[in-house]
């Protein structure tokens, strides 16, 4: 990203940023000139987190920035500065209270993001100069986050199933991967009935897009992303409030695409399959109706209790297809349930897993890179909430209890016993502006998952290193 640039040795043109807090502020002041100390007093700067002071020399030339931070939150420490400091080049001073300058630099890059497809940027962000080795680590993560944000922020008229498929094709071209898709009636011929059933009412044809990359001898990794480009709720129509932001219901696909890009860029030794079921859940005369029964790719008959529980329907055929490839690991991202947001709020993706070791490693990776997840249980007694009187099971049920768990339990039926599987129910959205987290589309769980994959497979490669 342009907000991060390589710092050349001996470059004296950049302005130092020194981080401080209330506990260290007195010591910081003692290193300054009398005029600078007077300026800090007159301006009221007290090193509170999120504040900064721009210091000048005797000629009025800016020479240093003091940034108040919370050392416990390095990712947020510099995130507000790229769009508030004067446009110039800065670097992080050796003095300071942050223990993890790499995370702080990543926060700078995330804070510099602006979505500019429909209007010009408010201003060019300030630039942070970092050592070349850090830039090599940070740039892929910042670019992957920007990709998720761009895809989610793009309105549905410009981000339908075809355009989401095009994003996969661009990724495949960039990494010399094989891409194919099944579109419209081809889904039925290829036995993807639930993807077709959800998307058939839209004027834009549903599709399943597959990207394949890697050597056959390497462990098989399957990544699946929910790509509901707009969700009206179907005939179980959402309210206007509930429908307002449903352009973001392809957020799981955005995460999966970005993660696949990170895996390929890092040259992780895996045989990768990326699967994106891309649909619009629309209303028309041929729309999926409550009470219908669909026989899935896996052979399960599913009664449609609620057409607004469509995400699990498009995912289940993709998971079944991915499982046929006998992967060493399978994972999916989905903006699946409001219940997960009620339980955990907007910032914590819900993790479900059928493998204890993989779950523990992913949670630890999330903590290490400041991209936290929270595990919820696959409480199998709740399967009865999806009982059907005429089919193998239903896609939803009458009870409003444990909605995120029952959705995950539905998906688990399509994962074979013995196949490690990780499911992230993520919000993919910021409701308000915060440092490093602008309002709109957001990557949540992406860096955690990549750190986990890098730890699982990266000891066999010399590719991208994940900030720790």
């Amino acid at each position: 990203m342009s907000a991060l640039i390589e710092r050349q040795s001996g470059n004296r043109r950049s302005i130092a940023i020194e981080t401080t807090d209330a506990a260290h502020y007195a010591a910081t002041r003692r290193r300054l000139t009398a005029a600078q100390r007077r300026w800090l007093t007159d301006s009221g700067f007290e090193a509170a987190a999120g504040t900064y002071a721009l210091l000048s020399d005797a000629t009025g030339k800016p020479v240093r920035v003091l940034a108040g931070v919370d050392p416990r939150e390095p990712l947020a420490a510099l995130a507000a500065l790229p769009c508030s400091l004067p446009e110039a080049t800065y670097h992080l001073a050796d003095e300071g209270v942050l223990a993890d300058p790499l995370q702080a630099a990543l926060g700078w890059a995330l804070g510099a993001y602006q979505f500019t497809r429909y209007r010009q940027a408010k201003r060019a962000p300030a630039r942070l100069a970092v050592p070349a080795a850090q830039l090599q680590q940070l740039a892929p993560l910042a670019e992957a986050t920007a990709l998720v944000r761009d895809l989610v922020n793009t309105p549905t008229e410009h981000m339908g199933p075809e355009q989401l498929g095009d994003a996969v094709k661009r990724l495949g071209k960039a990494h010399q991967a094989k891409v194919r898709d099944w579109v419209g009636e081809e889904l039925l011929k290829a036995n993807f009935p639930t993807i077709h059933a959800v998307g058939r009412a839209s004027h834009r044809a549903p599709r399943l897009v597959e990207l394949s990359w890697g050597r056959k001898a390497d462990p098989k990794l399957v990544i699946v992303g929910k790509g509901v480009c707009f969700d009206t709720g179907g005939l179980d129509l959402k309210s206007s409030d509930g429908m307002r932001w449903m352009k973001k219901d392809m957020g799981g696909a955005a995460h999966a695409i970005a993660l696949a890009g990170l895996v390929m860029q890092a040259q992780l030794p895996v045989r990768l399959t990326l699967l994106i079921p891309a649909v619009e859940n629309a209303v028309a005369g041929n729309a999926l109706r409550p009470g219908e029964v669909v026989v899935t790719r896996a052979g399960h008959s599913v009664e449609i209790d609620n057409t607004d529980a469509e995400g699990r329907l498009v995912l289940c055929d993709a998971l079944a297809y991915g499982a046929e490839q006998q992967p060493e690991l399978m994972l999916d991202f989905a903006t699946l349930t409001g219940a997960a947001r009620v339980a955990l709020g907007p910032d914590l993706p819900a993790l479900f897993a059928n493998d204890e070791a993989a779950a523990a490693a992913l949670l630890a990776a999330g903590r290490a890179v400041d991209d936290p997840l929270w595990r919820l249980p696959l409480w199998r007694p709740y399967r009865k909430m999806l009982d059907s009187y005429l089919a193998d099971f239903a896609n939803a049920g009458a009870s409003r209890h444990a909605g995120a768990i029952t959705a995950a339990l539905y998906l688990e039926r399509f994962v074979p016993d013995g196949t490690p599987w990780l499911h992230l129910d993520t919000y993919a959205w910021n409701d308000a502006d915060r440092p490093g987290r602008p309002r709109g589309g957001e990557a949540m769980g992406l860096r955690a998952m990549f750190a986990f994959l890098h730890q699982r497979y990266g000891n066999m490669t010399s590719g991208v290193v994940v900030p720790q």
Side-chain angles (χ1 to χ4, degrees), residues 7 17 39 98 122 159 171 181 395 397 463:
R7 186 181 182 193
I17 298 176
W39 164 245
L98 287 179
K122 296 179 180 178
M159 190 51 63
L171 185 68
D181 57 12
N395 74 324

Side-chain angles (χ1 to χ4, degrees), residues 147 151 159 162-172 257:
L147 175 60
L151 291 173
M159 190 51 63
E162 181 179 3
Q163 290 78 20
L164 195 56
D166 288 343
V168 179
K169 292 174 183 177
R170 288 193 297 272
L171 185 68
I257 292 168

Side-chain angles (χ1 to χ4, degrees), residues 344-416:
L344 300 177
D347 294 346
L348 278 175
L351 166 65
F352 295 88
N354 66 358
D355 185 280
E356 295 299 318
L362 176 55
L363 291 171
R367 290 190 294 269
V369 298
D370 199 10
D371 191 20
L373 313 170
W374 197 267
R375 190 178 182 188
L376 294 180
L378 287 166
W379 187 247
R380 292 180 181 88
Y382 288 166
R383 277 190 173 188
K384 64 180 180 293
M385 295 184 183
L386 300 180
D387 284 350
S388 168
Y389 84 98
L390 81 168
D392 291 333
F393 47 90
N395 74 324
S399 175
R400 299 184 66 182
H401 293 163
I405 296 175
T406 56
L409 289 170
Y410 175 93
L411 296 177
E412 187 194 25
R413 293 178 188 262
F414 299 87
V415 179

Side-chain angles (χ1 to χ4, degrees), residues 179-433:
V179 178
R180 64 170 175 169
D181 57 12
W182 298 265
V183 180
E185 297 302 306
E186 294 174 357
L187 290 166
L188 294 177
K189 295 177 182 178
N191 192 25
F192 297 108
T194 56
I195 299 173
H196 182 272
V198 172
R200 69 192 185 203
S202 173
H203 65 290
R204 296 193 281 188
R207 64 197 62 216
L208 175 65
V209 189
E210 178 185 31
L211 177 148
S212 303
W213 174 89
R215 301 181 305 172
K216 290 184 178 180
D218 287 333
K220 184 68 179 181
L221 170 66
V222 172
I223 302 174
V224 182
K226 173 189 169 184
V228 178
C229 296
F230 194 83
D231 181 19
T232 67
L235 292 178
D236 287 306
L237 197 66
K238 293 179 182 289
S239 67
S240 59
D241 287 347
M243 205 186 300
R244 173 61 179 90
W245 298 110
M246 282 300 100
K247 69 174 186 178
K248 78 176 188 65
D249 213 17
M250 39 61 67
H255 282 74
I257 292 168
L259 180 63
L262 286 169
V263 167
M264 292 187 288
Q265 187 168 357
Q267 294 287 304
L268 293 187
V270 296
R271 186 160 50 101
L272 171 68
T273 293
L274 169 68
L275 296 171
I276 303 296
V279 304
E280 269 192 294
N281 187 22
V283 177
N286 64 337
L288 186 64
R289 293 178 289 270
E292 291 188 356
V293 174
V294 180
V295 179
T296 70
R297 181 181 183 88
H300 301 303
S301 60
V302 175
E303 182 183 9
I304 306 305
D305 176 82
N306 191 322
T307 62
D308 197 20
E310 86 299 331
R312 65 200 72 180
L313 294 173
V314 300
L315 286 171
C316 72
D317 273 356
L319 287 171
Y321 176 64
E324 293 165 13
Q325 302 181 27
Q326 298 182 319
E328 193 268 343
L329 176 66
M330 188 155 58
L331 57 93
D332 73 78
F333 293 87
T335 53
L336 202 61
T337 67
R341 309 287 72 77
V342 172
L344 300 177
D347 294 346
L348 278 175
L351 166 65
F352 295 88
N354 66 358
D355 185 280
E356 295 299 318
L362 176 55
L363 291 171
R367 290 190 294 269
V369 298
D370 199 10
D371 191 20
L373 313 170
W374 197 267
R375 190 178 182 188
L376 294 180
L378 287 166
W379 187 247
R380 292 180 181 88
Y382 288 166
R383 277 190 173 188
K384 64 180 180 293
M385 295 184 183
L386 300 180
D387 284 350
S388 168
Y389 84 98
L390 81 168
D392 291 333
F393 47 90
N395 74 324
S399 175
R400 299 184 66 182
H401 293 163
I405 296 175
T406 56
L409 289 170
Y410 175 93
L411 296 177
E412 187 194 25
R413 293 178 188 262
F414 299 87
V415 179
D417 292 340
T419 299
W421 167 63
L422 301 166
H423 160 56
L424 258 64
D425 189 336
T426 185
Y427 191 41
W429 192 258
N430 292 319
D431 290 317
D433 283 310

